[in-house]
Amino acid sequence: MSGMSGQRDQATEEGQRGHTGHPAPETRPRPDVFTFGETMVALQGSGPLKLGGTMNVSIAGAESNVAIGLARLGHLVHWSGTVGEDEAGELVLRTLRAEGVEISGAATDPDAPTGLILFEPRLPEVTRAHYYRAGSAGSRIEPHAIERVFAAAPPRVLHLTGITPALSPTARSAARLALRLACQNGSLICLDVNFRARLWTAQEAAAVLREWIPYVDTLIASDDELPLCLPTSGDGIPRTATNTEATSDKATNEDEIPGRATGGDDIRDRATGGHEAADEGAPSLARDPAATTADQARLLRQLGVGEVIVTLGADGATAFTHDGSLHRPAEPVRAVDPVGAGDAFVAGYLSALLDGEDLAGRLERAVTTGAFAVASPGDWEGAPTRAELGMLSAPPGTVVR
C-alpha cells in the first residue's frame, strides 16, 4: 500500500515549492488529511491560577493537535483556520510551520484577537481549562477558506470535530461546506465528536451531529458522547436499535450534502467495508454499559457510519465495524498530563489507516500515540515520530543511545 503510506517524496515536494515555501495551488500534492478549526495560545500553569506562579506558553487546538501528530508520523497534513493579526497568531502559525503542517489555507483577521486557553492542573490526572475565545479570530473562519483548499487539492481524509461548528454560525457553515466538498471529491470523512459543554448545549450539538452522521465514514467518540449522534424519538430519548427501525437522517436537500462520489481512493474501503447493508439481526435489550454502547454503535452503523471507534480513557478503545467489534486496552504509562490524549489517539488511528493497517493495527497505533500524550506535558508536545513508536516497549530505565 505504498500509495497510501503518507511518506513525503522530498525531492518532488521541493521541486513543487515556490519562493514562499508553499506548493503552488496548481501543482500541490493531494494532502493525506485536511482539518481546520480554532487554534489558541495556551498558557499552562504550574498550579492553581489564583495563587499565581509560572506559566508555559504554547498553542492548543483539537484539530491542530491532530495535524501535528500526523505530520510527526510522516503524513502530508493541511490545516486551515483564522488567527488574529497579533503576536499570538504569529506564534500559532510559526509553530504549525515548524511542525511540518501545511498552512497555506490559513488566514489572519485584523479585527479579532487570537483565542486564549489557560490550563490549570489541580490533580495528577485532573486539569481545568479556562477559555477566552468569545469573538476570537478563530471563530470567524469562513466557508471560502475551505473552498480554496478543496479547489487546490482535495484531501484523502477530511477530519472534522464537534468543536468547530460550535464556535459560530460562519464556522458551522464552513464545516458543513467541507462535508459537502468531501462527499463530492470522494474524501473519507472522520468525525471526532469532541463535545464541549462550554461552547454549546447537548441539544445544539445533537441537532448538527445527527445531520452529519449519514455521511461519516469513521466516527470517534467517548461512550457518553454517542447519544449526541443518535436520532431521538418524540420524547427526546435517543433511539436504539431495539426501539426503532434504523432510518437515515440525510438532509432532504441533496444539493446541500450530496451522495458519495464513486470510485477514488481505496482508503474508504479499508475503513468502512464499503458501507454495506445494516447488520443482520436485532440486538437484545441493553442491560449494562458495554451492551448499551454496542447497541448504539450498531444503530450508527445502520445509519451509514462505516466504523465507530469508542474511546474509553484508561480502559482503551473499542471499534465496531461490519466485521464485528474489537477492543484494545490502553498502554500502561505513568500519567503526567491527560490533555491532548484524545487528539493523539485520532492522529495515530488515521496514520495507521493511511498506511493500510488492519483494524487491530489501527487501534494499536492509536493507543500508542495516546499513551505518549498522557506521559508528556502539553497538548501535542509529546506526540511521537514514526521512529519513536516502539519506545513504549522499552523496559524502565532504558537509555536509547
Side-chain angles (χ1 to χ4, degrees), residues 16 113 274:
Q16 291 172 333

Side-chain angles (χ1 to χ4, degrees), residues 44 119 124-125 127 334-341 372-379:
Q44 176 79 40
F119 289 114
E125 296 185 40
T127 299
R334 181 182 300 174
V336 174
D337 183 358
V339 176
F372 269 90
V374 171
S376 309
D379 259 43

Side-chain angles (χ1 to χ4, degrees), residues 175-184 189 208 211-215 249-260:
R176 184 173 173 80
L177 175 62
L179 189 66
R180 177 171 65 83
L181 293 175
C183 287
Q184 289 178 339
I189 297 170
V208 172
E211 179 189 358
W212 290 5
I213 281 300
Y215 308 96
D249 282 346
K250 287 188 177 181
T252 55
N253 186 350
E254 290 298 326
D255 291 333
E256 294 289 332
I257 304 179
R260 285 290 184 192

